[in-house]
Amino acid sequence: MKHFQHLEDPRADRGRNHSLVSIITIAILAVLAGADGFAAIEAYGQAKQSWLETFLDLPKGIPSHNTFGRVLGMLEPKQLQSGFLAGDKRNHREVEHRTNPHRGENGQKFL
């Protein structure tokens, strides 16, 4: 989720019990798994907490549904979009490089 590390956290320093990257990561994974609201995102996080802790820093556990709603509602949509697009461009380049036999080590065309 390094594509979202550049996002500016809109919260006050004293109100940051959970990292922004952790909140976004859990929300994305939950929605991909079928979550349809903030309570469902929280439930997903609680059900998968031990797995999520293998790659996310969750010292205060899973954020509440209120936290998901408040924090995600504060984010600028264009910033989130840029994170998704950065990841999509990188993934596209990696897939293109692996699947196109007419490209060299640096991605330049052979033919």
Side-chain angles (χ1 to χ4, degrees):
M1 300 317 290
K2 62 184 172 188
H3 302 294
F4 295 101
Q5 291 176 346
H6 73 281
L7 293 180
E8 184 177 325
D9 196 329
R11 300 173 290 170
D13 288 339
R14 64 180 172 79
R16 296 181 187 182
N17 293 322
H18 308 279
S19 78
L20 183 61
V21 171
S22 293
I23 291 171
I24 293 170
T25 301
I26 295 168
I28 291 170
L29 293 171
V31 169
L32 289 173
D36 59 357
F38 300 123
I41 293 170
E42 178 185 5
Y44 171 89
Q46 290 173 344
K48 302 290 186 182
Q49 184 169 351
S50 61
W51 173 67
L52 292 166
E53 288 174 334
T54 65
F55 57 92
L56 292 175
D57 186 26
L58 299 170
K60 297 197 176 192
I62 300 298
S64 71
H65 64 280
N66 290 328
T67 298
F68 281 111
R70 182 175 43 80
V71 174
L72 294 174
M74 295 170 85
L75 294 176
E76 290 292 328
K78 293 237 183 247
Q79 283 188 313
L80 270 178
Q81 183 182 24
S82 71
F84 277 110
L85 292 175
D88 184 53
K89 286 178 184 175
R90 181 173 172 260
N91 291 339
H92 178 72
R93 282 192 306 271
E94 288 175 6
V95 169
E96 174 73 14
H97 179 72
R98 285 186 302 213
T99 60
N100 189 340
H102 303 293
R103 292 201 178 264
E105 183 98 3
N106 62 1
Q108 292 182 337
K109 291 182 180 181
F110 284 138
L111 303 175

